[in-house]
Amino acid sequence: IDRSTPPSGGPIRPFHLPQVEVDSLENGLRLCSMLRDQVPLANVCLVLDAGEAKVPLGGGGVAVLTGDALQGGTEHRSGTELAEELEGLGSGLRVSTAWDATTVSFTCVAERVDEVLSLLSEVVRFPSFPVEEVDRVRRQRLSSIQQRKMDPGSLADDELARLVFDAVHPYHRPVAGDERSVTSLDREDMMTLASKRYAPVGAGLVVVGNLSSDQSTELARRHFGSWDSPGVADVEVPTPSQWPSRSIVIAHRPGAVQSELRIGHPGLARGHPDEIPLRVSNAVLGGAFTSRLNLSLREKHGFTYGARSWLAFRRDGGAFGIGTALQTEVTAPALSEAIAVFDAFSDVGPSP
C-alpha cells in the first residue's frame, strides 16, 4: 500500500429514496408516509403552521413559548400524568418551534405508535397551559434571553438580522422574542395562538418506519380525523427590502477578548429553483471545513479557528451570512479578506 498519496475516490453511488406515499384527510391534514422495515421502529412528526413568522408585531416569542408549554398538561391529564404515560410507552414528545412551523415528534417501536400518537393528538388538540407551567417556561425563556445578551456570537447574529431585515419584518428580531415581548406574554396569548394556528389546514403528518401506507392512513384518521379547527386566514409576511449599499455596524462589548464578524444580506425563500445549486455552491464558499473562506482565513492567514457561510431558506424569504470569531487585532484585515473571497466567488463561481 502506497501511503504517500491519498486514495482516489470511487464511483458515485446513487441513493434511491423509498417511495413516499401522500394522502390527505377530509379536514385538510396532509399525510406523508414511507415504509422503512429494516428495524421495528417508527418516527412520527406533526408539522403545524405555527411558526414565529406568523406572529403579529409586538408578540415576538409567543409561538416558541406556546411550544415550550405544550406538554404542561391537557384537558384530560396533568403534565406529570402525560410524562408518566409516555415513559411507560418507552417514548417522549419533542417540540420545536422555528420561523416556519412548530413540530411535535416522537420515536417509538412500531407496535406502540397507536398509543403514542393518541397522546400527541391530545397534546395538540386539547392543551390546557396551566398557569404554573406558563410561568415556569417564561422564566426559563427570559433566562435564556439574558444569557444570549452575554454571548458575543449571539449578539453578532442579532445585529446582522437587525441590519438585513426591516423593523416591520419578523426576521428583524430573535426567533424567541426579546425581554419586553416575552415578559408581556401570558396563558391567554398561548391559548389564542393554539386555537388559531394549531389546525389541520396547513398542517402535515409525517410517518416513517415499519408501517405500511394503509396503516399510517388508518392511524391518522383515527387520531386526527375528527380534528375540526377553523384556524385563521394566512398572515402575509412583507418581502425583505434589498440594501442598496454596504453598511457597517460596530457593537462594542467592553472586555471582549476577540471579535465576532458577520457579513450577510437577504436570501431566497425555500423551494426557489436555485436552492439546490446554491446549497452546493455554499459548500465550496464556506459550508465545509475545506471551503474557500476557511482555507483563506484559517489556513492561509491564521486569523481564526474557523470561518463559515450559511444559507437560511425559509418560507417567507431567507438569509445569507458569513461568520467567524477573530483575534481582535486582525478584525479589519480579516473583514477585507472575507469580502475579497466572497466577491471573487460571486464573480467567478466554483472551479470545475
Side-chain angles (χ1 to χ4, degrees), residues 208-256:
V208 179
N210 193 19
L211 293 165
S212 67
S213 60
D214 289 340
Q215 289 175 305
S216 298
T217 301
E218 179 186 352
L219 289 169
R221 293 186 185 280
R222 182 183 308 164
H223 297 294
F224 295 101
S226 61
W227 190 12
D228 186 21
S229 176
V232 293
D234 197 21
V235 177
E236 184 176 351
V237 177
T239 302
S241 61
Q242 297 289 330
W243 288 88
S245 61
R246 286 175 177 168
S247 303
I248 297 177
V249 172
I250 299 176
H252 179 51
R253 187 174 187 272

Side-chain angles (χ1 to χ4, degrees), residues 117-176:
L117 195 58
S118 175
L119 294 175
L120 184 154
S121 174
E122 180 181 321
V123 164
V124 171
R125 297 176 61 187
F126 308 106
S128 62
F129 300 113
V131 174
E132 62 275 11
E133 180 68 8
V134 171
D135 290 341
R136 183 185 68 81
V137 297
R138 183 171 52 228
R139 289 194 301 270
Q140 286 184 336
R141 185 56 60 184
L142 287 171
S143 177
S144 298
I145 291 173
Q146 289 297 322
Q147 291 177 338
R148 188 177 182 85
K149 289 181 179 180
M150 296 183 286
D151 177 54
S154 298
L155 291 174
D157 292 338
D158 293 346
E159 287 294 339
L160 178 62
R162 281 191 283 267
L163 176 67
V164 170
F165 298 102
D166 299 335
V168 296
H169 199 286
Y171 300 161
H172 179 81
R173 60 168 174 83
V175 66

